[in-house]
Amino acid sequence: MTYHVLCNPLAGNGAGAEEAKKLKIDGAELKFHDITELDGYAAFFAGIAPEDGVILTGGDGTINRFVNETEGLDIPNDILYYAVGTGNDFLNDLGRKVGEPPFSIKKYLRDLPTVTVNGRTRRFLNGVGYGIDGYCCEVGDEQRTKSDKPVNYSAIAIKGLLFHFKPTNAVITVDGKEYRFKKVWLAPTMNGRFYGGGLMIAPKQDRLNAERTVTVAVLHGSGKFKTLLVFPSISKGEHVKRTEMCKSFVGHEITVRFDRPTALQIDGETVRGVTEYSVTSKAPIHV
């Protein structure tokens, strides 16, 4: 059996390719490819046998890039995943851990929702973060340009809550029904349960639910100190018990509009100065 291992040298804080090449599979031939040097995925899949396996290595951002760059391609090969990333929210959502053998993810890459921001539409794997979560990614990106040290998103969030990030007012539309909120700290739309490196913001969301609905979660209406006290409970999904400040809505068509520009993140990729995003998730068509 031949496996083509797709390596992302940017994953895992720059150690992605090195970690991927430690992979061993008994009785299999492994061929390694740097995804930053591929001449497109259409050419790549045309050049390998249909029965060959493909192992994608990296983190959530690597999978996001793969699903968007392969959109529209008919891929006969099985797609497996071997995690060497840092956040690994996709892995957490499946109840798996870094270091486990490669496993098939092809079913998770079908019928993914799309997000439209500033006129650009793309698919996403885990979620779209908007509010202080986007702010944390924005600050984290800035820190990476100045230092090689790992980014501490928890510290960024705490400082943001206390000093730097100001909540917004928001209008959220779910399948045509409009909701208005004041003092919104975050308003992500989720395909999975986790984002932000282990925050279970949407504990009831199932990425393979039959209708392919998504969940928009809203943390709103509270002052910075109360929000700071509740924030740690998101890691276990217990924030939803605070119904006076946490709301969730499920649907297929979601639009979130803030009353001032705020950073947004899509599976960890930052988009700055956003006032609105829209998500569409369609149920699979069974022929």
Side-chain angles (χ1 to χ4, degrees), residues 59-86:
D60 297 326
T62 304
I63 306 177
N64 176 284
R65 178 174 175 175
F66 179 82
V67 298
N68 281 287
E69 293 184 358
T70 58
E71 184 174 8
L73 292 182
D74 182 14
I75 301 174
N77 310 77
D78 192 14
I79 308 297
L80 291 81
Y81 179 57
Y82 181 68
V84 297
T86 51

Side-chain angles (χ1 to χ4, degrees), residues 179-193:
Y179 305 89
R180 293 179 178 269
F181 297 94
K182 294 183 178 180
K183 296 179 70 175
V184 173
W185 292 95
L186 51 80
T189 296
M190 302 298 298
N191 181 49
R193 294 176 297 161

Side-chain angles (χ1 to χ4, degrees), residues 124-172:
F124 65 94
L125 180 73
N126 296 318
V128 179
Y130 196 29
I132 195 166
D133 35 8
Y135 162 83
C136 289
C137 286
E138 182 178 33
V139 175
D141 289 348
E142 293 172 356
Q143 289 185 3
R144 285 194 189 91
T145 65
K146 301 174 182 177
S147 173
D148 293 332
K149 294 181 180 179
V151 175
N152 186 333
Y153 287 103
S154 296
I156 294 173
I158 291 171
K159 291 179 181 178
L161 282 167
L162 290 176
F163 307 111
H164 305 299
F165 181 81
K166 306 300 180 186
T168 74
N169 297 324
V171 178
I172 299 175

Side-chain angles (χ1 to χ4, degrees), residues 5-23 32-35 57-58 84:
V5 184
L6 298 174
C7 307
N8 182 1
L10 304 178
N13 289 323
E18 181 181 345
E19 290 299 315
K21 289 179 180 178
K22 295 178 182 178
L23 179 62
F32 294 88
H33 309 265
D34 184 332
I35 65 172
T57 68
V84 297

